[in-house]
Amino acid sequence: MSLVACCLCAVVLLTFWMREPETGALHSIRDKSTAITAPLLNAGAFITTPLRAMTSGFDSAHLSEDEYQQLISDNETLRSENVQLQEYQQENDRLSALLGLKDAYGLESTGARVISQSLDSWNRTITINKGSQAGLRAGMPVMNANGLIGQTESVGPDSSLVRLITDEQSAVGVFVQSNRVEGILTGSSDGTLYLRYVGVDSAVKVGDNIITSGAGGVYPKGITVGTVYSVDFQSTDIYQTIVVHPITKVDTYEEVLVVTGSEATVNPGDGTSGTGADSSAATGTATGTATAGE
């Protein structure tokens, strides 16, 4: 009976609602109730928004097994492509740095990739993927984007062995950039670089740049090789014990430049110029390539 009564009441109210004007009593009651309940409705909508989003996510999660596996495959493909693009970008940055180095020093050079490194502690060498067919010969200086790293020791048709400056058999004529004090940079069995034959009366400081002197005509003048790491000597010593930090670690070598000419060079650090074995090539046109090749 109560349900029937409610239905009759609703019909009567609806009839009055339809017939009365906009200013009628029922319309006024409706407007007032809307003003009261609107804030509550807005609050409820705000609270239930996350639940509706979760429900929508559940609806889209009803995928078949094939569709799910396809999404996984697509995600892995995109991730692999992203890694590959990052690798291309890093390689491009390294090759651009090599090109900038070649232009800065004005050297005839050719680019090469490092394909292996020595695994024993007695020899500090790397092997590159260019040889005599690319015009390389034994005794050519080898650089990376930061400066000198070694010298070709043996050359095959398609590859070359490079002995690093950190090897104990290596010796490079250098000087301290700030005061032009000369010395010999040598490697050691543990890979430590030493600047030797610098007298105790010469002012050498930690952080000083060490660059090639060009003495002997093997290495062009003005190429960076490292920075002074420590300086030590006793009152009875003739020479200082100077440890030099190399420009880069060997495990970071990927692409290199092999200097195929012996032109004059300009030291980018201080603007001074000097000559290598052939002083007539003072203009030092850079005709080599920094493309490492495959």
Side-chain angles (χ1 to χ4, degrees), residues 98-162:
L98 286 177
L99 283 171
L101 185 76
K102 183 189 70 173
D103 293 340
Y105 285 105
L107 298 171
E108 290 185 0
S109 59
T110 185
R113 292 185 187 277
V114 177
I115 56 178
S116 68
Q117 300 178 12
S118 58
L119 300 178
D120 60 80
S121 57
W122 296 278
N123 293 284
R124 300 184 181 277
T125 60
I126 58 175
T127 302
I128 58 177
N129 70 338
K130 294 288 183 68
S132 58
Q133 292 185 358
L136 273 59
R137 303 185 307 276
M140 288 181 168
V142 180
M143 306 166 65
N144 74 349
N146 296 315
L148 184 70
I149 63 171
Q151 182 183 34
T152 55
E153 183 174 88
S154 59
V155 177
D158 301 308
S159 64
S160 301
L161 182 70
V162 177

Side-chain angles (χ1 to χ4, degrees), residues 58-78:
F58 291 147
D59 292 339
S60 63
H62 294 305
L63 303 174
S64 68
E65 181 64 22
D66 290 341
E67 291 173 327
Y68 180 70
Q69 293 300 327
Q70 184 61 45
L71 286 176
I72 292 178
S73 177
D74 292 344
N75 183 61
E76 292 175 349
T77 300
L78 289 173

Side-chain angles (χ1 to χ4, degrees), residues 133-245:
Q133 292 185 358
L136 273 59
R137 303 185 307 276
M140 288 181 168
V142 180
M143 306 166 65
N144 74 349
N146 296 315
L148 184 70
I149 63 171
Q151 182 183 34
T152 55
E153 183 174 88
S154 59
V155 177
D158 301 308
S159 64
S160 301
L161 182 70
V162 177
R163 188 163 298 278
L164 303 175
I165 60 175
T166 52
D167 187 276
E168 62 180 335
Q169 299 181 43
S170 175
V172 183
V174 297
F175 52 45
V176 181
Q177 186 181 41
S178 60
N179 56 16
R180 321 312 272 184
V181 170
E182 293 196 57
I184 302 296
L185 189 74
T186 65
S188 61
S189 59
D190 63 356
T192 302
L193 280 176
Y194 291 97
L195 176 57
R196 302 188 186 278
Y197 311 116
V198 176
V200 295
D201 57 340
S202 298
V204 179
K205 306 183 300 298
V206 172
D208 280 343
N209 293 321
I210 305 300
I211 58 179
T212 55
S213 64
V218 177
Y219 299 99
K221 182 181 180 180
I223 300 176
T224 305
V225 292
T227 57
V228 174
Y229 178 76
S230 65
V231 180
D232 187 34
F233 61 89
Q234 304 296 325
S235 59
T236 56
D237 292 340
I238 299 176
Y239 300 114
Q240 302 180 55
T241 300
I242 302 173
V243 176
V244 175
H245 193 282

